[in-house]
Amino acid sequence: KEKPLLELKQDEQLLRTELDSRLALIEELKGKLNQLEPKIRDATAAQLREAEQRLLKGATHLRGFRDNVADALSGVQSLAVAGDKLSRDIDVTASLVRSTPARDDGRITDALKALESVNKQMDDIRNTVKHLEAIPNATETEEIDQLADSLSNRIAAMEKELGSKRDRRASLEQLE
């Protein structure tokens, strides 16, 4: 997940170095303009200004690209941490749900609270995924979508199991 973004970050740094070098060369050439004959100096100065404007425009685009890569890298890293935490919390909650008897109101309440907590974490992960997918030129988002779907499916399975236990409890109460 992070490796392609780290490679893009390195590419951006190389491009930035090259761009800065070319801008420095333009400044050096501007300093030498006075050594040229007036006819040549005006034409050369115009060409240097044009080249400088193109490079400055490129620098602006490169800054935007750098910011996008940094946002994506940060988002992917925080998503990995949040996904790992949620996965552990789902394991704990699933164990609680499985071991909760249908007649134990206290444990069912605890399980509901735990499910509420993992659902909140899932909402945060979905927001992070949306943020990552909204980054301009973001590609290869299938892996983060799969992570979110996998976690969501595990939560849905727990909700279904707990719902069954609550239904069973209600049925048992009616029989009594």
Side-chain angles (χ1 to χ4, degrees), residues 12-13 15-16 19-20 23 52-71 135-136:
E12 181 275 328
Q13 289 169 341
L15 288 171
R16 183 71 196 165
L19 197 133
D20 289 344
L23 284 170
E52 182 178 35
Q53 290 304 312
R54 284 195 314 264
L55 287 175
L56 291 172
K57 184 177 179 183
T60 300
H61 290 295
L62 191 57
R63 267 192 302 280
F65 177 76
R66 178 196 62 215
D67 293 345
N68 290 342
V69 169
D71 286 349
I135 293 173

Side-chain angles (χ1 to χ4, degrees), residues 75-89 121-122 124-125 128 147 151:
V76 165
Q77 290 168 338
S78 65
L79 185 63
V81 170
D84 288 345
K85 181 183 181 322
L86 178 56
S87 185
R88 286 189 305 273
D89 289 350
Q121 290 177 62
M122 190 67 229
D124 293 343
I125 284 177
T128 301
L147 170 68
L151 293 169

